[in-house]
Amino acid sequence: MPPRALDPSGLFLIDKPEGPSSFAVVADVRRRTGARTGHAGTLDPFATGLLLVLSGSATKLASRFVGLDKRYLTDVDLTAVTDTGDREGSIVGEAPPPGEEELGERLTSIRGEIELPIPTASAVKIGGERAYKLHRQGVAVEMPVRRSRVDVLDVISYRDGLARLDLRVSSGTYVRAIATALGGHCRTLRRTEVGPFLVEEADPGRLLAAEDALARL
């Protein structure tokens, strides 16, 4: 296979819809441009929102964008915990939803520097195999703990056990792990910001020059 082209070069801001994987979105951009293509952080298939897709020679700048803080909106169902931390998993525990005061206490315990187990349905390798593949095979594994930072964790609304939360977190933070720690699971998940880039700017037909993107960091 011939090497991918280094042009067009720059950054695409993509608003990923629910359903396709991040890799499918990247592959679609690659087919459209014919250029070498990469990403600066994935989203789960059920999640929506901002993906940074690097094109052409800008792919060598991936490390400059991968570590940026992220912002999310999520609806967390606090009546049940699932084995994946999202609605696609199997329920492993149910309980009456917390009152507003108790929810506030749970949120307080998760703000700041935290350590939480990585969800089983993740791309982390366990013994050389992707965790999500082991999960699908029914293999029980002890997931490693990841340290991350939660700068913002605010309640937008709370009704009938469903809490809509606004989060700003460090790169590598699993919102599904936060939902599990709160005693629930993510029903929806939307990434609204990656560093200084906003989902409102997303336009699959617009290529942001690498120098312009770097100037915003």
Side-chain angles (χ1 to χ4, degrees), residues 10-152:
L11 187 71
F12 286 103
L13 305 183
I14 307 290
D15 186 355
K16 189 190 89 66
E18 181 179 333
S21 69
S22 298
F23 300 104
V25 174
V26 170
D28 181 66
V29 173
R30 185 183 297 119
R31 284 191 297 269
R32 179 159 52 89
T33 64
R36 180 184 300 169
T37 313
H39 63 79
T42 62
L43 281 170
D44 295 321
F46 89 98
T48 69
L50 187 59
L51 282 177
L52 303 188
V53 178
L54 299 153
S55 177
S57 59
T59 54
K60 65 184 179 181
L61 301 172
S63 61
R64 300 288 300 275
F65 298 96
V66 167
L68 299 175
D69 290 352
K70 313 291 195 300
R71 189 170 187 175
Y72 297 91
L73 288 177
T74 182
D75 290 313
V76 177
D77 184 340
L78 292 167
T79 67
V81 175
T82 68
D83 58 359
T84 59
D86 59 48
R87 67 171 189 255
E88 298 181 342
S90 300
I91 293 176
V92 295
E94 295 181 275
E100 292 187 8
E101 184 175 347
E102 182 182 349
L103 174 58
E105 293 173 355
R106 294 184 188 183
L107 293 171
T108 297
S109 69
I110 297 177
R111 294 187 182 100
E113 298 286 339
I114 59 171
E115 289 187 348
L116 295 174
I118 296 172
T120 55
S122 67
V124 170
K125 286 189 175 182
I126 305 293
E129 188 66 271
R130 297 290 184 185
Y132 67 83
K133 291 184 177 179
L134 295 173
H135 174 73
R136 290 172 183 168
Q137 296 166 7
V139 178
V141 296
E142 184 175 348
M143 295 301 295
V145 170
R146 175 170 291 182
R147 186 174 183 83
S148 55
R149 190 186 72 253
V150 178
D151 294 323
V152 173

Side-chain angles (χ1 to χ4, degrees), residues 61 64-65 197 209-217:
L61 301 172
R64 300 288 300 275
F65 298 96
F197 306 101
E211 56 268 26
D212 292 337
L214 290 172
R216 295 173 59 175
L217 300 183

